[in-house]
Amino acid sequence: MESTREKRGNIFQRIFSFYYDGFKNMTVGKKLWAIIIIKLAIFFLILKLIFFPNFLNSNFSTDEERSDYVLEQLTTQE
Amino acid sequence: MENIDFSLVDWSRAQFALTAYYHWLFVPLTLGITWIMAIMETIYVKTGNPEWKKATKFWMTLFGVNFAIGVSTGIILEFEFGTNWSNYSWFVGDIFGAPLAIEGIMAFFMETVFIAVMFFGWNRVSKKFHLTSTWLVAIGSNLSALWILVANGWMQNPAGMAFNLDTARNEMLNFWEVFLNPVAINKFLHTIFSSYVYAAAFVIGVSSWFLIKKRHVLMAKKSILIASVFGLLGALATVGTGDGSAYQVAQHQPMKLAAMEGLYEGSERADLVVFSFLKKADNPENRGDKEHVMKIQFPGLLSYLAYRDFDAFVPGVKDLIDGNPGQGIPPVSEKIEKGKLAIAALSDYKAHKDAGDVAAAEEARQVFDANFEYFGYGYFDDDVNALIPNVPVTFYSFHIMVGIGFILVAFFVASLIMTLTNRIARKRWLLIAGIVMIPLAFLAGQMGWTVAEMGRQPWVIQDVMPTMVAVSRINAGAVKLTFVLFALIFTGLLVAEIGIMLKQIKLGPKEGGE
């Protein structure tokens, strides 16, 4: 993971090259990043969209409606 | 409660528990191993000895594997709040919002920025800057734990808030009462110290394997030395903060304490159960009584640990349900009555407000405020046994956790002595024990969370919101399906992590490696 050459340039270019070289020279890290990307894709693209709509956000459009719904839930279950 | 689908409640709980258990596979190692890396790197910078750099980089690689696999399991928990626990999320929104926002901005930022420097910065930044980054990663990851545990502490002992009847949300009145909530502080300290114990056991276990295989002997010995000291201090601090946590439980969650000790009948000079088996009582009354078999106990110690007084009365399950007038403990039926008054007042407030009757609404608000403390009890009717947590699960989890904790203290002492006297490599039994300690320390952590969360049932917010009210009214079948999906995905991730981790351990440390 260690870089052998310090790139010159402004601060943004140096930060970019820092990360670029870091990722480029990874060995174990590449497999890990592949796992992370696959995992995030599963979580966000599949689970979040299909199975995890936010219940209140998807069923009600305003905070007032959400408040009314929760108040109803709190007062009609006894 | 007849309109509640308990299958939905149970599956939602099971799903959250599954996610939390898997999340806690990765987090404690991250919390603890960062300090061990920082200590090793500090010694390297101070001494210039490359052996310490090699050790630092090796443990950093294993940290990286663990961090990468575990980094987003917490995201699923957040999804579940919005999907499965929407009533709860709305109800606590403003309280949880502040600590979690601080976590997001401060701790996570520190972690992610400085982790890059820590991994990519060898030879790119100065030694001191790199060392600073490593320490900041340790601080940042531990601060992440602080905020989420403050939120959890609030659920165990709600403080510093007021319920807004118009919005149906709790609002933070006093940040410091939330932040310095004694339950939260104890929970944070107990949790992070136990994580240090797990991380130390992990480092010693892996190093022990190297010594058994006679590989990387010098690095393994150095690692065991650091981890033994770190683990022993962490274990002693875990014992101390565990005592503090139990004290807080006695003050705020006496039913949980009764379940932890399997205490059905309260008494003065109550004994602390060290070991026993619970079996169904021969003549059970009406609280699902269990009897202790083969009990070993310390006389009077439970009273002292719970109330700092050997003569103090410790209430049992029956006292808390049926009441004990002699000890000033009201029956739970009184709390249920007050809870019902609060719920009715909330309903009346809304009706009067909608009708424009300000005076009547204000009157309802006053009734609500006077009884809000017992709000959650209003959802229970005649079945008061529903207010008792699962005693055997809580009891056994607590005693397994404590038992392993003391085994670990003894193990770290033995490991430290053998390392300091340079006999560790010859003590094969201790090296094998070191490997065994990894799953044991992990098990202790999981049992701790089981005690904390199962022991407080039926509450999701102590005394204020029961679990069955917190749950979203969604299809129970979808929750079952996602439970199975998660079990498969998380198990796959775990297998991946263990596979990569074992491969890296077999490869061992390498100079100038990843």
Side-chain angles (χ1 to χ4, degrees), chain B residues 130-445:
Chain B
H130 191 277
L131 177 63
T132 305
S133 299
T134 307
W135 278 101
L136 286 174
V137 168
I139 293 166
S141 57
N142 280 260
L143 279 179
S144 296
L146 170 66
W147 299 112
I148 190 70
L149 290 171
V150 163
N152 184 277
W154 183 86
M155 293 161 70
Q156 314 267 351
N157 176 36
M161 88 297 188
F163 182 75
N164 185 327
L165 284 76
D166 295 312
T167 61
R169 305 193 92 166
N170 280 286
E171 293 170 352
M172 192 183 295
L173 284 186
N174 187 328
F175 171 80
W176 296 108
E177 275 186 36
V178 175
F179 181 61
L180 298 176
N181 181 343
V183 174
I185 297 295
N186 267 284
K187 179 167 280 296
F188 169 67
L189 293 175
H190 190 57
T191 305
I192 61 162
F193 287 137
S194 67
S195 300
Y196 301 167
V197 170
Y198 176 46
F202 176 80
V203 169
I204 293 176
V206 173
S207 302
S208 295
W209 183 79
F210 281 137
L211 289 182
I212 288 171
K213 294 288 178 186
K214 296 186 170 42
R215 293 175 56 197
H216 313 295
V217 172
L218 190 55
M219 188 211 75
K221 284 182 178 175
K222 286 181 184 300
S223 296
I224 290 177
L225 176 63
I226 297 293
S228 295
V229 175
F230 186 71
L232 180 58
L233 293 175
L236 293 175
T238 304
V239 172
T241 52
D243 171 61
S245 286
Y247 177 78
Q248 293 301 331
V249 166
Q251 315 308 311
H252 304 290
Q253 298 172 299
M255 182 63 87
K256 184 195 280 188
L257 184 73
M260 285 159 65
E261 281 295 300
L263 185 68
Y264 285 88
E265 300 270 7
S267 70
E268 294 172 347
R269 290 176 288 284
D271 304 331
L272 182 76
V273 177
V274 177
F275 176 87
S276 90
F277 291 106
L278 290 176
K279 79 174 187 74
K280 194 173 179 181
D282 289 337
N283 296 302
E285 294 182 17
N286 56 354
R287 303 286 170 241
D289 303 26
K290 302 283 187 298
E291 284 178 351
H292 291 270
V293 182
M294 297 171 65
K295 183 158 74 169
I296 301 170
Q297 59 197 0
F298 282 124
L301 193 55
L302 180 60
S303 287
Y304 181 78
L305 293 176
Y307 299 104
R308 304 299 188 237
D309 176 0
F310 281 104
D311 294 326
F313 179 84
V314 179
V317 171
K318 288 181 187 172
D319 303 288
L320 294 164
I321 295 294
D322 301 327
N324 185 329
Q327 298 295 332
I329 300 171
V332 79
S333 55
E334 278 184 23
K335 296 180 181 177
I336 290 174
E337 199 175 315
K338 289 180 179 178
K340 287 189 180 302
L341 280 175
I343 293 171
L346 180 60
S347 182
D348 291 346
Y349 174 83
K350 168 82 172 142
H352 292 315
K353 199 186 83 171
D354 289 347
D357 188 342
V358 177
E362 184 53 32
E363 200 174 315
R365 178 201 291 276
Q366 286 173 12
V367 174
F368 177 84
D369 288 344
N371 295 285
F372 179 62
E373 187 182 350
Y374 302 107
F375 185 79
Y377 286 93
Y379 296 103
F380 295 88
D381 294 313
D382 298 331
D383 183 19
V384 291
N385 284 347
L387 286 154
I388 305 171
N390 187 319
V391 174
V393 168
T394 311
F395 174 84
Y396 287 122
S397 301
F398 176 64
H399 285 80
I400 290 169
M401 175 190 73
V402 173
I404 293 173
F406 282 103
I407 290 171
L408 283 161
V409 171
F411 169 75
F412 287 130
V413 170
S415 183
L416 183 59
I417 291 171
M418 292 301 168
T419 307
L420 290 173
T421 54
N422 202 23
R423 288 183 286 167
I424 186 81
R426 299 196 298 276
K427 301 291 178 186
R428 190 177 169 84
W429 62 270
L430 190 59
L431 299 176
I432 291 170
I435 296 170
V436 172
M437 289 302 141
I438 299 176
L440 277 187
F442 164 72
L443 181 64

Side-chain angles (χ1 to χ4, degrees), chain A residues 1-7 14-33 35-36 39-40 42-44 46-49 51-57 59 62-78, chain B residues 1 3-4 15 57 64-65 68-72 75-76 79-80 82-84 86-87 90-91 113 116-117 119-124 163 165-168 340 343 346-347 350 378-379 465 468-469 472-474 481-482 485-486 489-490 493 496 500 503-504 512 514:
Chain A
M1 216 179 334
E2 290 169 26
S3 173
T4 53
R5 191 164 59 89
E6 186 68 35
K7 288 191 170 61
R14 285 163 64 189
I15 289 172
F16 175 79
S17 77
F18 178 83
Y19 280 91
Y20 180 79
D21 287 348
F23 283 113
K24 195 174 71 177
N25 294 322
M26 287 171 103
T27 52
V28 181
K30 281 179 185 159
K31 286 178 197 162
L32 291 176
W33 276 105
I35 290 173
I36 291 171
K39 185 169 60 173
L40 290 177
I42 292 171
F43 285 174
F44 282 105
I46 302 173
L47 296 180
K48 177 67 177 164
L49 293 180
F51 295 109
F52 282 113
N54 185 296
F55 182 80
L56 292 178
N57 287 349
N59 286 290
T62 67
D63 276 356
E64 193 177 351
E65 287 175 356
R66 292 180 192 112
S67 293
D68 285 344
Y69 172 77
V70 175
L71 273 172
E72 188 190 324
Q73 290 286 306
L74 292 176
T75 54
T76 57
Q77 289 188 23
E78 53 177 326
Chain B
M1 294 195 295
N3 59 345
I4 292 172
Q15 189 188 80
K57 293 180 84 170
V65 173
I69 303 282
V71 70
S72 55
I75 293 171
I76 288 285
F79 289 171
E80 288 173 13
T83 304
N84 296 14
S86 58
N87 290 344
W90 184 263
F91 193 76
V113 169
V117 177
F119 279 108
F120 302 157
W122 293 103
N123 299 343
R124 296 284 302 253
F163 182 75
L165 284 76
D166 295 312
T167 61
K340 287 189 180 302
I343 293 171
L346 180 60
S347 182
K350 168 82 172 142
Y379 296 103
M465 179 176 260
M468 66 211 176
V469 176
S472 307
R473 300 298 178 266
I474 53 177
L481 177 63
T482 46
L485 268 176
F486 286 3
I489 292 170
F490 290 150
L493 287 172
I500 299 172
K503 188 179 173 189
Q504 290 307 309
E514 190 98 6

Side-chain angles (χ1 to χ4, degrees), chain B residues 1 4-19 21 80 84-85 380 386 388 390 454 457-459 466-484:
Chain B
M1 294 195 295
I4 292 172
D5 178 359
F6 279 93
S7 161
L8 169 66
V9 178
D10 290 342
W11 277 105
S12 296
R13 284 182 60 201
Q15 189 188 80
F16 199 87
L18 175 84
T19 316
Y21 277 134
E80 288 173 13
N84 296 14
W85 306 101
F380 295 88
I388 305 171
N390 187 319
M454 288 287 285
Q457 292 303 314
W459 303 112
T467 315
M468 66 211 176
V469 176
V471 77
S472 307
R473 300 298 178 266
I474 53 177
N475 187 310
V479 183
K480 284 182 205 173
L481 177 63
T482 46
F483 176 89
V484 174

